[in-house]
Amino acid sequence: MPRQHKRETLSSYVKRYFFITLGAVMMGVALEIFLVPNNIIDGGITGISIVLSKITPLKLGIYIFLINLPFLYIGYKQIGRTFAISTLYGIAVMSITTMLLHHSEGFTHETILAVLYGGVMLGIGVGLVIRYGGALDGTEIVAILLSKKFRMPVGQIIMFINLFIFVIAGFVFGADSAMYSIFTYYIAAKVMDIVVEGLDESKSVTIISNSYDEISQAIVDRLGRSSTFIYAKGGYSKEDTQMVYCVVSRLELAKLKSIVQEIDPSAFIAIQHVADVQGGNLAKRNVH
């Protein structure tokens, strides 16, 4: 019999839409309370919408909703129904929030404060929505499609799109506004990464040493982490050996390197960033 996929539980459904709502409201507040009153724009479709709302009588929320609609259809076709519904809901909430706050004079007119607080709030809002299965901007979908056609990294395409938007902003709002907008976008992107990936960022570590048994045992005894042996053969020596592979938190990385150096100062250590970790026995054991 074919395997039955588990349906989403009510609690996880409520949790997902609660955080999408919270994230969308935070982005709307960041735009109308901090950024727009100080002529600072975001990247992507939101940035285009801010520019259009400045030079036309229509409100920002209307542009955000209407311009994103074609990309929602693309997202439905490329990613799936759940993503499209979550994204549509998030964009609708954000648009309504911006319209309700449209006549706000802003919380501060100190540009640096607006950049800092607006950028952080924007990053948290977008990060929450992405973490719980939605999006608030169609630029990422466009970038994915263009990367397949032109064989360019998604990140580079998004950067080029936003660079074009910020240049336009420079003509509409002035050069200072464009430079502040770039700084805001950078802050928001960094905060968004923290929200999406979590503060407890993981690192995968591969260790090549003749003392692999001792190193593996020390990782268990002193870090409370398990490790895996991977068979390897020296390219020069042609000798059989074992590589030690383990996943640790960012805060444990320095201690792990110290442990390996104590046992074998000549050990080779390769460290990689891990975007997400699921499955397996990843719970940390108690160490004495």
Side-chain angles (χ1 to χ4, degrees), residues 92-161:
V93 171
M94 180 182 67
S95 299
I96 292 170
T97 303
T98 59
M99 286 190 282
L100 291 175
L101 298 173
H102 183 65
H103 297 291
S104 171
E105 295 182 359
F107 193 76
T108 178
H109 292 288
E110 288 288 338
T111 309
I112 293 297
L113 291 177
V115 166
L116 292 174
Y117 283 91
V120 170
M121 185 172 286
L122 193 68
I124 294 173
V126 175
L128 282 173
V129 175
I130 292 175
R131 182 162 184 164
Y132 287 92
L136 292 174
D137 198 289
T139 308
E140 289 81 2
I141 300 170
V142 175
I144 291 169
L145 296 177
L146 290 177
S147 70
K148 292 178 180 178
K149 184 175 181 179
F150 296 107
R151 298 186 181 278
M152 290 178 62
V154 174
Q156 285 188 14
I157 295 173
I158 292 175
M159 182 183 70
F160 286 134
I161 292 172

Side-chain angles (χ1 to χ4, degrees), residues 11 63 81 127 140 156 171 189 253 259 271:
S11 61
Y63 279 118
R81 179 171 172 268
E140 289 81 2
Q156 285 188 14
F171 287 105
L253 186 59
I259 290 170
I271 302 165

Side-chain angles (χ1 to χ4, degrees), residues 30-194:
L31 290 173
E32 291 289 359
I33 298 297
F34 291 103
L35 303 183
V36 175
N38 291 283
N39 291 330
I40 302 169
I41 73 167
D42 185 23
I45 302 301
T46 305
I48 296 173
S49 300
I50 293 172
V51 173
L52 290 174
S53 68
K54 180 70 175 180
I55 60 178
T56 66
L58 286 180
K59 294 180 180 179
L60 171 61
I62 296 174
Y63 279 118
I64 289 174
F65 188 79
L66 292 179
I67 298 176
N68 271 298
L69 283 178
F71 303 107
L72 279 171
Y73 178 76
I74 297 172
Y76 173 74
K77 289 293 185 182
Q78 296 291 325
I79 303 175
R81 179 171 172 268
T82 302
F83 169 80
I85 293 173
S86 299
T87 300
L88 176 62
Y89 174 76
I91 290 172
V93 171
M94 180 182 67
S95 299
I96 292 170
T97 303
T98 59
M99 286 190 282
L100 291 175
L101 298 173
H102 183 65
H103 297 291
S104 171
E105 295 182 359
F107 193 76
T108 178
H109 292 288
E110 288 288 338
T111 309
I112 293 297
L113 291 177
V115 166
L116 292 174
Y117 283 91
V120 170
M121 185 172 286
L122 193 68
I124 294 173
V126 175
L128 282 173
V129 175
I130 292 175
R131 182 162 184 164
Y132 287 92
L136 292 174
D137 198 289
T139 308
E140 289 81 2
I141 300 170
V142 175
I144 291 169
L145 296 177
L146 290 177
S147 70
K148 292 178 180 178
K149 184 175 181 179
F150 296 107
R151 298 186 181 278
M152 290 178 62
V154 174
Q156 285 188 14
I157 295 173
I158 292 175
M159 182 183 70
F160 286 134
I161 292 172
N162 287 329
L163 183 63
F164 175 72
I165 293 169
F166 290 136
V167 168
I168 294 174
F171 287 105
V172 176
F173 297 109
D176 287 351
S177 176
M179 288 188 286
Y180 279 125
S181 298
I182 293 171
F183 189 38
T184 304
Y185 177 77
Y186 177 80
I187 293 172
K190 291 299 180 182
V191 174
M192 181 188 72
D193 288 341
I194 292 173

